[in-house]
């Protein structure tokens, strides 16, 4: 590609190709659906209503526990909520896909929960307010890689 650009929700790319002695320029545009960014206010409402919230938008790579590049976008909203609610204690629940051995899934889900908790602790949330739990593929009917924050 010569140029790749993102504008609003549209990706545009211009590429050049050679075929025999001829050059061709190809213009490609793809409309992307905008991600819904949940705010700390929405987290608070969900937490008050259900006692838990799924961190949609925080998607780990398969079999990985390192925080994805866009994790800060989601976790900063959790951080804002915890700053506004200094008496809240939370548990970070980690889950994996329904694949592989159960023990390996529990270990991976614990590492994912720990990565999220470590991010919050590194930014100043008191250790006494955050615990973790790895549940492997947990609820098989909903088995997918995810992080939930549970208020207790």
């Amino acid at each position: 590609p010569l140029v790749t650009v993102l504008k609003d929700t549209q990706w545009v790319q211009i590429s050049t190709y050679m075929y025999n002695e001829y050059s061709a320029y190809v213009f490609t545009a793809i409309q992307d659906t905008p991600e819904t960014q949940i705010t700390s206010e929405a987290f608070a409402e969900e937490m008050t209503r259900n006692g838990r919230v799924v961190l949609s938008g925080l998607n780990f790579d398969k079999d990985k526990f390192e925080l994805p590049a866009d994790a800060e976008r989601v976790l900063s909203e959790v951080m804002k909520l915890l700053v506004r609610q200094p008496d809240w204690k939370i548990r970070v629940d980690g889950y994996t896909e329904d694949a592989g051995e159960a023990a390996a899934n529990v270990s991976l889900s614990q590492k994912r929960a720990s990565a999220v908790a470590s991010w919050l602790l590194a930014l100043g949330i008191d250790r006494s307010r955050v615990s973790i739990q790895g549940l492997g593929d947990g609820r098989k009917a909903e088995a997918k890689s995810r992080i939930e924050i549970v208020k207790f």
Side-chain angles (χ1 to χ4, degrees), residues 85-146:
Q85 301 290 342
D87 58 325
W88 282 15
K89 293 184 178 186
I90 64 164
R91 184 180 69 230
V92 180
D93 288 351
Y95 293 88
T96 63
E97 300 83 7
D98 183 14
E101 295 181 24
N105 285 341
V106 169
S107 176
L108 178 59
S109 64
Q110 286 173 336
K111 290 175 182 176
R112 288 176 174 177
S114 181
V116 170
S118 294
W119 191 93
L120 295 169
L121 297 175
L123 290 178
I125 297 299
D126 189 85
R127 181 174 298 279
S128 67
R129 296 180 62 196
V130 180
S131 63
I132 66 164
Q133 183 173 351
L135 296 163
D137 58 20
R139 303 174 200 153
K140 295 230 183 227
E142 301 175 15
K144 62 181 179 178
S145 175
R146 71 184 184 282

Side-chain angles (χ1 to χ4, degrees), residues 6 11 32-38 43 55-61 65-78 116 119 147:
L6 172 66
W11 285 97
D32 194 12
T33 56
E35 287 188 22
T36 55
Q37 170 65 31
I38 191 164
F43 278 148
L55 299 185
S56 56
L58 181 62
N59 302 307
F60 288 87
D61 291 334
F65 60 88
E66 295 81 14
L67 287 176
D70 60 349
E72 187 172 333
R73 179 177 51 85
V74 175
L75 294 179
S76 64
E77 295 300 321
V78 175
V116 170
W119 191 93
I147 294 289

Side-chain angles (χ1 to χ4, degrees), residues 22-42:
Y22 302 103
S23 295
Y25 292 92
V26 178
F27 174 82
T28 308
I30 300 172
Q31 190 72 26
D32 194 12
T33 56
E35 287 188 22
T36 55
Q37 170 65 31
I38 191 164
T39 64
S40 59
E41 292 82 12

